[in-house]
């Protein structure tokens, strides 16, 4: 087991990992940028290091600075959290080469799954269903049009290297396609340093279903059921829940077991999430695999009772999965998570500023994950998420009611926030009925605008 771990991240996930390290009795090292010097979770770490200026490239994306912290602190592990360098194979290799251990999948897996078209090819070879798609495109309109006609409009133009919904642009005809490939390529180049794109058939009103995977370094793989992440804005998740509503349990279990079979054969390790699109029937069409802990991991923890961060650390240390997880994993009740962002609730533009008031709810079945306290500032340098609000209840209807009550008990002043949008979705007839899909958030917003007009 590790004796000291560097938490190479910030905000809610840094606070979450620090709690897990305390639970395991492992000494912790927190890092922070100059902009984050006053955040409250830093006081929970055994050691802290400033790693640079506010800009991500000068701090949380600064590999040399983080490796210096590893050396100076004498830590033997580094937890990357999510975002930033969590899916950077080069960084994982450098951490491992330093004599410490990167707490995530092997660099080879991070690299293999980080390039979306190569990941799709690999998973297709092993029988996972795929949405019709193209190979890599250079940005040539004629080449893209030929590929789109073969797939059939509408299509989604997607970055080959990336995630988080960044750079995804829909095209419904040839004219839109020309603009979409230019925009997607430009966004991908700026965000991921790679302009490669590909096309995928755009499913109408699909559900975004993902499966949580844990694996040891000895070839053993388990799944911890699914999460429904269909409620999104700008292709980014806002509300997640487990189990997925109106999804036959036998169907979900069979899909999870099939993924376990494939990943076990390939000897995947530590932690990951298989993301799929589900349009009905029996096929969960493979989208991508995220080789890290997910933002929405808490809903799985709430229904299974398993601490995923503790499990991730123990598996990265080399423990066998049968020693980390119970023989049989079951779920109890229903959990829903809402991501609360400092942003305009209609246009979804970031709204940085001072949190003049931040009163977050508490009580039975309510869990809050945050890196902020009242008086802190949401800066323009990083993701504007203020907190994650997670509820657990005996059934889905009760969980929805509990989440609405928790949102109503939340008080945020000083920045705009998206709680009004979340409330509108939770109150909608379609969400209440479990008829969720990736376009529901936009539909609810459009209905609200029409009602106001």
């Amino acid at each position: 087991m590790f004796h000291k771990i560097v938490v190479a991240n910030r905000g809610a996930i840094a606070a979450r990992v620090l709690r897990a390290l305390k639970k395991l009795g492992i000494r912790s090292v927190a890092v922070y940028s100059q902009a984050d010097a006053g955040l409250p979770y830093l006081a929970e770490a055994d050691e802290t290091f400033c790693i640079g200026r506010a800009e991500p490239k000068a701090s949380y994306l600064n590999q040399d600075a983080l490796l210096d912290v590893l050396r100076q602190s004498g830590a033997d592990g580094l937890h990357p959290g999510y975002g930033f360098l969590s899916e950077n194979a080069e960084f994982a290799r450098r951490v491992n080469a330093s004599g410490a251990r990167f707490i995530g999948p092997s660099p080879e897996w991070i690299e293999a799954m980080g390039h979306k078209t190569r990941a799709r090819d690999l998973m297709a070879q092993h029988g996972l269903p795929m949405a019709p798609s193209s190979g890599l495109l250079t940005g040539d309109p004629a080449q893209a049009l030929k590929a789109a006609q073969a797939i059939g409009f509408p299509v989604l133009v997607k970055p080959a290297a990336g995630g988080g919904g960044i750079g995804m642009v829909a095209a419904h005809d040839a004219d839109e396609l020309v603009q979409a490939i230019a925009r997607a390529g430009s966004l991908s180049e700026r965000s991921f340093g790679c302009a490669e794109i590909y096309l995928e058939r755009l499913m109408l009103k699909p559900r975004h279903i993902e499966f949580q995977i844990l694996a040891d370094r000895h070839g053993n793989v388990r799944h911890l059921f699914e999460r429904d992440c269909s409620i999104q804005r700008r292709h980014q998740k806002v509300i997640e829940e487990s189990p997925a509503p109106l999804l036959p349990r036998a169907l979900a279990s069979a899909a999870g077991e099939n993924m376990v079979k494939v990943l076990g054969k390939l000897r995947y390790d530590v932690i990951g999430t298989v993301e799929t699109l589900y349009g009905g029937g029996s096929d969960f069409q493979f989208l991508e695999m995220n080789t890290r802990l997910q933002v929405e991991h808490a809903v799985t923890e709430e229904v299974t009772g398993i601490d995923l961060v503790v499990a991730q650390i123990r598996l990265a240390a080399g423990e066998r999965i049968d020693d980390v997880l119970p023989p049989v994993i079951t779920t109890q009740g229903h959990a829903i998570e809402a991501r609360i962002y400092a942003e305009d609730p209609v246009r979804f533009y970031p709204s940085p500023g001072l949190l003049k008031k931040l009163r977050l709810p508490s009580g039975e079945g309510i869990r809050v994950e945050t890196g902020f306290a009242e008086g802190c500032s949401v800066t323009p340098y990083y993701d504007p998420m203020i907190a994650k609000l997670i509820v657990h209840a005996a059934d889905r209807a009760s969980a929805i009611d509990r989440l609405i009550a928790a949102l109503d008990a939340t008080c945020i002043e000083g920045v705009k926030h998206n709680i009004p949008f979340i409330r509108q979705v939770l109150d909608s007839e379609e969400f209440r009925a479990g008829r969720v899909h990736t376009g529901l958030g936009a539909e609810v917003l459009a209905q609200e605008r029409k009602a106001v007009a």
Side-chain angles (χ1 to χ4, degrees):
M1 180 54 73
F2 301 98
H3 81 274
K4 186 188 290 187
I5 289 175
V6 172
V7 182
N9 217 296
R10 66 177 299 278
I13 185 55
R16 173 71 185 89
V17 176
L18 289 170
R19 288 205 314 274
L21 294 177
K22 186 167 290 188
K23 185 175 181 180
L24 286 166
I26 298 172
R27 291 185 61 79
S28 59
V29 181
V31 299
Y32 61 94
S33 71
Q34 291 173 357
D36 286 343
L39 294 183
Y41 61 85
L42 294 172
E44 301 301 315
D46 295 304
E47 301 173 45
T48 58
F49 288 81
C50 181
I51 51 171
R53 301 188 310 276
E55 297 84 5
K57 286 185 178 180
S59 51
Y60 301 105
L61 290 174
N62 187 334
Q63 296 188 26
D64 290 339
L66 292 166
L67 290 168
D68 281 343
V69 171
L70 263 180
R71 285 189 288 269
Q72 291 178 52
S73 66
D76 56 346
L78 180 142
H79 196 300
Y82 44 66
F84 293 125
L85 294 170
S86 62
E87 293 179 285
N88 187 299
E90 176 198 0
F91 180 60
R93 286 192 178 98
R94 293 184 70 186
V95 171
N96 292 342
S98 76
R101 179 67 65 86
F102 183 84
I103 301 174
S106 300
E108 294 75 19
W109 275 115
I110 298 173
E111 191 167 62
M113 292 299 167
H115 196 281
K116 306 310 176 189
T117 55
R118 289 200 290 267
R120 289 171 58 85
D121 289 344
L122 177 63
M123 291 301 160
Q125 289 170 17
H126 288 82
L128 291 190
M130 301 284 156
S133 64
S134 71
L136 283 179
L137 300 176
T138 62
D140 174 36
Q143 179 197 28
L145 179 58
K146 184 176 180 180
Q149 289 171 336
I151 294 169
F153 283 105
V155 297
L156 194 60
V157 186
K158 302 179 71 172
I166 298 171
M168 293 166 51
V169 185
H172 294 80
D173 54 40
D175 291 337
E176 285 189 2
L177 181 64
V178 174
Q179 297 177 11
I181 60 175
R183 184 180 173 202
S186 176
L187 285 169
S188 183
E189 176 68 34
R190 292 203 309 269
S191 301
F192 311 117
C194 174
E196 292 178 333
I197 57 173
Y198 68 101
L199 305 184
E200 185 176 273
R201 178 176 289 171
L202 179 62
M203 292 178 64
L204 300 178
K205 296 188 176 182
R207 296 174 65 178
H208 187 126
I209 307 289
E210 63 185 30
F211 293 81
Q212 178 66 61
I213 301 296
L214 289 176
D216 60 27
R217 299 192 188 276
H218 309 281
N220 304 299
V221 182
R222 303 274 296 275
H223 77 86
L224 281 75
F225 306 101
E226 85 290 346
R227 297 183 287 257
D228 191 305
C229 307
S230 298
I231 305 302
Q232 305 175 5
R233 89 294 189 245
R234 293 186 172 178
H235 301 296
Q236 293 185 314
K237 304 163 188 172
V238 182
I239 299 172
E240 304 99 354
E241 58 184 311
S242 185
L246 304 184
L247 185 66
R249 300 312 311 148
L251 184 63
S253 294
E257 289 301 323
N258 186 40
M259 293 169 194
V260 164
K261 182 179 177 182
V262 170
L263 293 168
K265 183 178 180 181
L266 293 170
R267 295 186 70 85
Y268 186 84
D269 60 359
V270 184
I271 194 167
T273 299
V274 178
E275 305 214 8
T276 74
L277 285 182
Y278 178 69
S282 60
D283 282 348
F284 294 82
Q285 296 183 351
F286 178 84
L287 274 178
E288 63 184 9
M289 186 165 188
N290 290 319
T291 53
R292 55 170 168 79
L293 186 73
Q294 294 279 88
V295 177
E296 58 274 15
H297 70 275
V299 293
T300 296
E301 293 183 327
E302 289 298 314
V303 296
T304 63
I306 293 168
D307 188 318
L308 290 177
V309 184
V310 167
Q312 177 186 10
I313 294 167
R314 292 179 63 185
L315 291 167
E319 292 190 41
R320 291 185 175 273
I321 201 163
D322 288 343
D323 295 326
V324 174
L325 299 180
V328 178
I329 302 171
T330 59
T331 63
Q332 289 189 331
H334 198 93
I336 310 178
E337 172 181 291
R339 303 188 192 186
I340 301 174
Y341 287 98
E343 65 182 12
D344 182 286
V346 176
R347 296 183 178 181
F348 305 124
Y349 294 148
S351 175
L354 177 68
L355 293 168
K356 296 177 181 178
K357 281 190 179 180
L358 180 60
R359 311 289 168 80
L360 298 169
S362 61
E364 182 183 358
I366 296 174
R367 170 177 168 181
V368 174
E369 301 281 355
T370 186
F372 293 105
E374 190 170 288
C376 294
S377 290
V378 179
T379 75
Y381 301 106
Y382 317 115
D383 182 270
M385 188 171 71
I386 299 171
K388 298 185 296 177
L389 185 53
I390 307 105
V391 299
H392 182 242
D395 53 58
R396 187 172 185 268
S398 300
I400 294 172
D401 290 341
R402 180 164 285 171
L403 182 53
I404 289 173
L407 290 165
D408 289 346
T410 301
C411 178
I412 301 173
E413 293 183 7
V415 298
K416 295 180 180 180
H417 55 78
N418 67 332
I419 288 179
F421 169 68
I422 296 170
R423 285 287 270 102
Q424 290 161 14
V425 172
L426 296 175
D427 278 332
S428 70
E429 180 181 345
E430 293 295 285
F431 186 86
R432 285 255 179 198
R435 296 189 294 268
V436 295
H437 56 84
T438 57
L440 182 57
E443 288 181 3
V444 169
L445 196 60
Q447 290 169 4
E448 183 69 16
R449 286 170 175 163
K450 185 177 180 180
V452 171

